[in-house]
Amino acid sequence: MWWLNVSSDNWIGFVTMKSVLLLLVIHLLHCEGRVVVRRDEQLNNRPIIGVLSQEQSKSLQKKYPKENYTSYIAASYVKDVEASGARVVPILIGKDRKYYRELMQKINGVLFPGGATYFNQSNGYADAGQHIYEIAKQMNDRGDYFPIFGTCLGFELMIIIASGRGEVENRIECDVFENLPLRFDHGYKNSKMFSAAPQDVLTILSTQDVTVNYHMFCIIDQNLKNFSLDRDWLVTSHSTSTGGSKFIASIEHKRYPFYGVQFHPEKTFEWKQSKNYPHTVESIKANRYFMDFFVNECRKSDHTFNNVVEENKYLIYNYVPHFTGVLGSAYHQCYMFEPRGITNSCL
Ligand SMILES: *[C@@H]1O[C@H](CO)[C@@H](O)[C@H](O)[C@H]1NC(C)=O
Ligand SMILES: *[C@@H]1O[C@H](CO)[C@@H](O)[C@H](O)[C@H]1NC(C)=O
Ligand SMILES: *[C@@H]1O[C@H](CO)[C@@H](O)[C@H](O)[C@H]1NC(C)=O
């Protein structure tokens, strides 16, 4: 700290040092400015993510008899995406391929939420998911980066679409309703999903019961092998239920930016007491990682709406979530959409 101890004798030295410091500061500012600019050039920091709706649940249908809503999105998925720095556009079911293609040209990725619907209902969640999956593959094949993230049922849907949908679905029955840790597979450190994960997040995920499982079906290694999906998909973790079922917990496509998890990262935003969802500081931190990762993937897409007016017409802010938790639903809040075939004023 000699330069602070200045006397008139070494004034010249002080001035020189001050200039050096000033130059250093300018240089640092300059570098920082350049880094920021380069980041903006590379990444889309205003990502908009499509969240696929699904057939209205029977129990919610009864709660809203007059409105006759035919599809919904649990608000926890929307909050999870928003908390990672993106906005949400709802994707309706029961539309033709043109609707999905045109919408996907404006948004930066799609989330297939979990839930409880069958894949064999026409014009529903599975048909919409198949359009989206196939269009996303075409986009990526053309070098147009388009990520998909499937949670629980959405993960199962991706694997079943990849297997080819048929009467026999490539998943097994297994009832798992508990919070479990992940058991990472060999090579997960080199995966797209986990290579940049902080060590404390990995430690929480692998040692604490923080991943929420709520599924009647599982995808097991043999499901992949039977359809040679292990060529294209990398399994990064498994979980084992108390009952002894070992199932795939996280997966990613080796070429496409397609990701799936059997568990529910968004359940930290759900509050039904009997469900025992984790809300500890550690569980929040660990579950946040997945949407942070996915939204970052979506920042690599440069799709945009034509203008702000058009963007505003599609955003989920046009819909008001309902407080369904007080009606007994496992979802604390839900967005609900018009009957199929009836065009919403916005979409
Ligand atoms: C409610 O939905 C049923 C089929 O799900 C349909 O037949 C009926 O016309 C709908 N009612 C209204 C008011 O849209
Ligand atoms: C769809 O699958 C479910 C469960 O396997 C079954 O109960 C239902 O009958 C099927 N529906 C159709 C239309 O095939
Ligand atoms: C894999 O295929 C074999 C032979 O067809 C079949 O017996 C087995 O049940 C399949 N496994 C799964 C998990 O579907």
Side-chain angles (χ1 to χ4, degrees):
M1 304 291 259
W2 57 266
W3 63 84
L4 291 177
N5 186 13
V6 185
S7 74
S8 53
D9 290 348
N10 51 16
W11 176 242
I12 304 266
F14 175 65
V15 169
T16 309
M17 199 57 206
K18 230 172 100 173
S19 314
V20 168
L21 280 175
L22 193 66
L23 282 174
L24 192 67
V25 167
I26 288 170
H27 178 71
L28 285 176
L29 283 175
H30 186 62
C31 290
E32 189 131 301
R34 271 176 48 183
V35 169
V36 169
V37 169
R38 274 186 54 202
R39 265 198 208 126
D40 279 348
E41 272 168 14
Q42 285 172 353
L43 294 180
N44 167 10
N45 283 319
R46 299 177 65 82
I48 297 184
I49 293 173
V51 178
L52 181 58
S53 59
Q54 68 185 266
E55 291 86 343
Q56 179 69 307
S57 79
K58 290 230 158 59
S59 66
L60 280 177
Q61 194 134 33
K62 281 191 209 114
K63 307 288 181 190
Y64 297 92
K66 269 201 276 227
E67 290 86 346
N68 211 15
Y69 298 118
T70 53
S71 63
Y72 79 99
I73 293 173
S76 45
Y77 290 97
V78 176
K79 294 168 209 230
D80 206 9
V81 168
E82 288 180 345
S84 295
R87 284 168 295 167
V88 167
V89 160
I91 304 180
L92 302 184
I93 57 173
K95 302 283 183 184
D96 60 10
R97 198 175 180 93
K98 187 164 165 274
Y99 162 85
Y100 298 105
R101 184 186 300 284
E102 285 177 0
L103 190 51
M104 287 166 71
Q105 280 159 355
K106 299 169 190 294
I107 60 180
N108 309 110
V110 171
L111 171 62
F112 291 162
T117 185
Y118 290 116
F119 296 155
N120 58 8
Q121 310 187 66
S122 53
N123 289 321
Y125 174 79
D127 286 354
Q130 181 154 0
H131 285 308
I132 292 165
Y133 185 89
E134 289 169 358
I135 295 164
K137 267 173 71 171
Q138 291 167 357
M139 286 176 164
N140 284 294
D141 284 339
R142 288 199 311 260
D144 181 7
Y145 203 80
F146 195 92
I148 299 180
F149 192 97
T151 299
C152 197
L153 192 76
F155 152 64
E156 293 168 25
L157 178 63
M158 277 201 299
I159 296 302
I160 283 166
I161 292 169
S163 313
R165 278 167 73 199
E167 231 160 77
V168 181
E169 290 171 344
N170 189 24
R171 55 181 178 175
I172 63 158
E173 281 185 31
C174 77
D175 289 326
V176 183
F177 305 105
E178 60 185 322
N179 305 334
L180 296 168
L182 300 183
R183 294 208 315 221
F184 288 110
D185 279 83
H186 183 71
Y188 82 101
K189 274 276 191 191
N190 298 321
S191 68
K192 291 179 277 182
M193 191 186 281
F194 292 110
S195 57
Q199 188 54 52
D200 59 345
V201 166
L202 295 172
T203 303
I204 296 166
L205 287 169
S206 57
T207 59
Q208 299 187 29
D209 296 339
V210 290
T211 66
V212 176
N213 288 274
Y214 232 85
H215 44 101
M216 294 163 59
F217 298 96
C218 288
I219 309 282
I220 59 172
D221 292 340
Q222 195 61 44
N223 288 120
L224 297 193
K225 286 209 190 83
N226 275 8
F227 286 79
S228 302
L229 295 182
D230 42 356
R231 275 194 317 224
D232 282 342
W233 293 85
L234 176 72
V235 175
T236 48
S237 71
H238 289 80
S239 288
T240 305
S241 70
T242 318
S245 304
K246 183 184 173 193
F247 56 90
I248 294 169
S250 60
I251 202 166
E252 64 188 40
H253 198 280
K254 291 179 185 172
R255 295 188 313 281
Y256 301 123
F258 297 169
Y259 305 93
V261 294
Q262 181 70 79
F263 55 91
H264 286 269
E266 85 294 345
K267 289 292 190 205
T268 51
F269 290 97
E270 295 287 1
W271 297 95
K272 192 172 175 108
Q273 234 154 9
S274 59
K275 301 287 186 191
N276 190 33
Y277 299 135
H279 294 291
T280 61
V281 171
E282 288 89 352
S283 66
I284 306 283
K285 179 169 198 169
N287 280 292
R288 275 253 48 80
Y289 178 74
F290 296 93
M291 267 315 113
D292 286 350
F293 166 77
F294 180 58
V295 168
N296 221 23
E297 283 291 288
C298 296
R299 287 189 176 97
K300 298 175 190 167
S301 157
D302 57 9
H303 294 183
T304 57
F305 285 89
N306 292 327
N307 51 57
V308 173
V309 173
E310 186 192 44
E311 187 178 275
N312 286 343
K313 281 187 189 165
Y314 283 82
L315 289 168
I316 197 138
Y317 311 129
N318 289 289
Y319 301 88
V320 179
H322 298 257
F323 189 179
T324 44
V326 286
L327 302 175
S329 169
Y331 300 118
H332 232 57
Q333 281 186 311
C334 286
Y335 290 92
M336 295 183 204
F337 305 100
E338 300 284 341
R340 253 177 253 172
I342 297 178
T343 315
N344 184 280
S345 59
C346 300
L347 291 168

